[in-house]
Amino acid sequence: MNEKLLMARCAMALFLSLIPGAALAEDPASLVRQSQAAFHYAGIDLKARVKMTLLTKEGQQRLRDLMMLRKNEAGGNQRYFLYFHGPADVRGTVLMVYKYPNQEDDRWLFIPALNLVQRVAARDSRSSFVGSDFSYEDVSGRDVEADTHKVLRAEALESRQTVVIESVPTREADYAKKLSWIEQVTFLPLKEEYYDVQGALYKVFTADEIRDVQGLPTVTKRTMTNVKTGHKTEVVFENVAYNVGLGEDIFTERALRKPPEKWLR
Amino acid sequence: MSMRGVFLGVALLSAGVGIVPLRVQAEELLIHGFLQANYDMRVTGQHPPGPEGGDFLFGEERFQLRLDKSGEKGRLFIRTDFFHDAVANRPDLELREAYVDTSMGGSDVRVGRQLLIWGVGDYLFINDIFAKDWGAYFSGRPVEYLRVPQDALKLDLGTNKVSAEIVAMPFFQADKLPSRNRFLQFDPFPGVPRSTQEPALEFQNTELAARLYGTTWGFDTALYLYRGFFRMPALEANQMTAPTLITETFPRLVVYGASTRGNALGGVVSAEVGYYDSLQGQAGHNPAIPNSSFRYFVGYQQQPWEDFTVGLQYYGELMSHYDAYRATLPSGFPAQDRHRQLMTLRLTQLFWNQTLRLGIFAYYSPTDQDYYLIPEIRYSISDNLWMSVTGNIFGGRRTTTFFGQFDADDNLAITMRYEF
């Protein structure tokens, strides 16, 4: 099913690339939607070991090492179970997120030293994800309807054909304008630039490595750089596997208190 | 002695830096833990009498070892603390957790010493009837030490929609109150010797607690039932006029409760209620047995801007048979209000990619007219090493209320921990 979808996408992209300017004519919102589908919704579910390195301008490093379990639900809803293997002071902590595209997320935090499940105020999905340069929104995607999108141009980015899309928020956002370079074949964002209200560039996303996993193109290395502070976060996805059969029982309070061993390593 | 303690702490910490996590792959045995130095100083200059009543409320160097072994059939977990109490100057050992997990069909069983937490309060407890160490809380120790582990058998069962936890605790564990050797506090019977009479080790005294919970429409909702004993001692005098012996007893208690929490009003809203049914003091005529009461709180938590969280709670305790309580309360004893109320405020701001945390947690009771403030600074020096400075500031109009009695115990705690 997914492979068929990918084939269709590739065929479509190939077709579009043969006709210069065809992608430009496409509805920009639907292009963004396709991009989100490829970037945040690939597969039915996903299991990946995620290693985030937070780097200060001075070169100080901090590591966030977690197992990401993700499952797609109906209506663009998603569930995330994020189990932290490191650093040592948060080992065993679990963050569970029920993501809804146009409503506040439900977020739970399990603190193992206290055997305590907390509910986390989630109004701000633009706030930093575990202190990194990625926001929650950057990790799980922003509602397509929360911005107006415009196709600016087609552009080659290191020999990959992309369509450059400008997104201007209509709902609360931490940027005043965002430019995305969406690859025409995979629909993955290769680069994103975030501009503040003064029109100054402050955050840059780059997809540094794309691999084929079970026929699904997957960003396995990515970086978010805060241009203003010089702080950046590099993320590596290891052992990515799609459609592993994550059950509903993983995304429950009971599993928070007793994380499912078989999915954590 | 204090300087020696500091030196020992630093020496232990530097030794700890060399420790690396061990992982024996084939056996899947995980070994982790921490090394911690934790000192707490009273800043008021006042002291309780006795050798432990100095400026240091608390001082220790602690080494925690966690062993975690998982197999196909189950899991074994042990958390042991080895520590040196620098105030009493003695080494000691504490088994914080030691349990076995196993699954049978759709249910999980956990047997052994464990930490149990229920309810949705932020340091307010209604249906969280498990044992607590108030001395640890009031002297700025890391929050996990508020929890006193209990020996229990816990059963988890249910479906993805509705789950239940059933806990049986055969060995009674009282709350640990701030020690009279270290804390200046109110004593209604000054100078009178005390003895403690805990519930006998009998099958019929096994405490039972049950929780039925699930998430519906985004709200985590739970029902609770507890049958056991008050964990805070009730004081029974051998004679009221001139007592020569006070016995601390733990009367029978049943609690029925419910809680819910979920996203609303741009934040997280929570509410919890409970009826404390004092089985031995139903008419309220015995001053040595607490009256029954209805307890509730509502809470709201919001993130007004990035990395800043505000939390508010309002708590109330309505005493049953209040007139009987007042009529039998010995003269000269401070009376509790019919409707005791308490508010809390939490403010937390994170800085520097969430490595620096500034926060304050405050209790204020408009009925007792007392307060307890806990300001805190915590900094993660690296991924393994953090330090924190915590204040504990008490006060109130009278020195007989729950927080007001510790007015002379304002203290400042410093903690440093290396995790491996």
Side-chain angles (χ1 to χ4, degrees), chain B residues 27-29 51 104 137 226 322 372 392 399 406 420:
Chain B
E27 297 281 303
E28 275 295 336
L29 172 68
M104 294 187 292
Y137 190 49
Y226 168 71
Y322 189 73
Y372 173 30
N392 290 283
T399 53
F406 299 108
F420 64 89

Side-chain angles (χ1 to χ4, degrees), chain A residues 156-215:
Chain A
L157 202 66
E158 290 171 5
S159 80
R160 288 168 179 262
Q161 285 303 312
T162 68
V163 177
V164 185
I165 295 210
E166 179 189 271
S167 304
V168 176
T170 53
R171 292 212 294 264
E172 268 190 299
D174 59 353
Y175 55 86
K177 188 180 82 176
K178 178 171 108 174
L179 298 183
S180 311
W181 280 256
I182 295 173
E183 198 192 9
Q184 294 191 13
V185 181
T186 61
F187 290 98
L188 290 172
L190 301 187
K191 183 172 143 183
E192 289 170 344
E193 291 181 349
Y194 295 81
Y195 294 85
D196 64 16
V197 279
Q198 280 88 35
L201 177 69
Y202 76 95
K203 219 164 85 160
V204 178
F205 165 90
T206 53
D208 308 318
E209 181 185 271
I210 295 174
R211 282 195 188 169
D212 183 287
V213 180
Q214 299 166 245

Side-chain angles (χ1 to χ4, degrees), chain B residues 76-325:
Chain B
L76 173 78
F77 183 77
I78 300 174
R79 186 196 296 268
T80 314
D81 283 14
F82 306 88
F83 63 97
H84 169 248
D85 179 339
V87 174
N89 192 17
R90 60 166 176 255
D92 217 331
L93 181 146
E94 188 183 8
L95 188 63
R96 294 283 298 170
E97 284 176 273
Y99 58 76
V100 177
D101 274 339
T102 187
S103 296
M104 294 187 292
S107 57
D108 303 320
V109 182
R110 176 169 292 181
V111 189
R113 174 158 284 220
Q114 48 194 295
L115 293 173
L116 295 155
I117 295 191
W118 284 356
V120 296
D122 187 7
Y123 297 98
L124 287 180
F125 312 102
I126 295 177
N127 293 297
D128 188 331
I129 40 68
F130 304 106
K132 292 169 197 75
D133 183 344
W134 295 100
Y137 190 49
F138 293 166
S139 51
R141 297 181 59 192
V143 289
E144 63 258 40
Y145 291 99
L146 167 64
R147 300 290 164 175
V148 181
Q150 296 203 234
D151 303 315
L153 185 148
K154 181 163 74 80
L155 188 66
D156 270 272
L157 51 153
T159 65
N160 294 336
K161 297 281 172 217
V162 182
S163 301
E165 277 185 298
I166 298 164
V167 184
M169 294 164 281
F171 309 106
F172 176 78
Q173 172 66 57
D175 274 355
K176 293 185 177 174
L177 297 178
S179 148
R180 289 185 185 276
N181 295 331
R182 298 194 186 182
F183 282 82
L184 286 158
Q185 57 191 299
F186 172 66
D187 187 347
F189 301 101
V192 181
R194 289 184 181 217
S195 73
T196 302
Q197 194 185 335
E198 292 198 349
L201 281 176
E202 292 167 4
F203 281 129
Q204 59 174 13
N205 285 344
T206 295
E207 299 168 71
L208 293 171
R211 181 172 81 111
L212 189 70
Y213 66 100
T215 301
T216 36
W217 302 296
F219 276 76
D220 307 336
T221 304
L223 295 172
Y224 308 85
L225 182 65
Y226 168 71
R227 197 206 69 168
F229 305 90
F230 281 97
R231 284 188 206 284
M232 287 248 195
L235 304 181
E236 200 175 294
N238 58 348
Q239 48 174 310
M240 264 347 266
T241 43
T244 54
L245 182 70
I246 303 302
T247 308
E248 297 184 340
T249 66
F250 302 89
R252 289 197 171 273
L253 171 71
V254 169
V255 182
Y256 312 89
S259 72
T260 187
R261 76 178 159 195
N263 286 355
L265 311 170
V268 174
V269 172
S270 53
E272 187 166 335
V273 292
Y275 182 69
Y276 275 52
D277 194 353
S278 176
L279 295 186
Q280 289 162 261
Q282 282 174 335
H285 288 291
N286 186 347
I289 293 174
N291 282 20
S292 297
S293 61
F294 173 75
R295 303 176 185 199
Y296 66 89
F297 69 75
V298 287
Y300 178 65
Q301 188 204 124
Q302 207 215 55
Q303 207 181 51
W305 62 78
E306 172 149 18
D307 288 339
F308 179 69
T309 311
V310 182
L312 286 165
Q313 295 177 113
Y314 201 95
Y315 169 92
E317 204 174 304
L318 276 159
M319 194 191 289
S320 309
H321 309 293
Y322 189 73
D323 295 335
Y325 163 76

Side-chain angles (χ1 to χ4, degrees), chain A residues 64-115:
Chain A
R64 304 281 174 267
D65 175 5
L66 57 112
M67 181 59 82
M68 178 191 274
L69 304 174
R70 182 185 80 194
K71 185 174 168 67
N72 293 344
E73 301 278 304
N77 296 347
Q78 278 184 319
R79 291 179 178 186
Y80 289 82
F81 190 94
L82 308 168
Y83 177 93
F84 285 82
H85 285 283
D89 67 342
V90 296
R91 183 181 294 117
T93 300
V94 187
L95 178 67
M96 184 168 79
V97 181
Y98 281 17
K99 186 202 129 188
Y100 312 105
N102 41 32
Q103 165 191 341
E104 286 149 22
D105 297 347
D106 286 321
R107 278 184 220 158
W108 294 263
L109 191 66
F110 172 71
I111 302 166
L114 293 169
N115 191 24

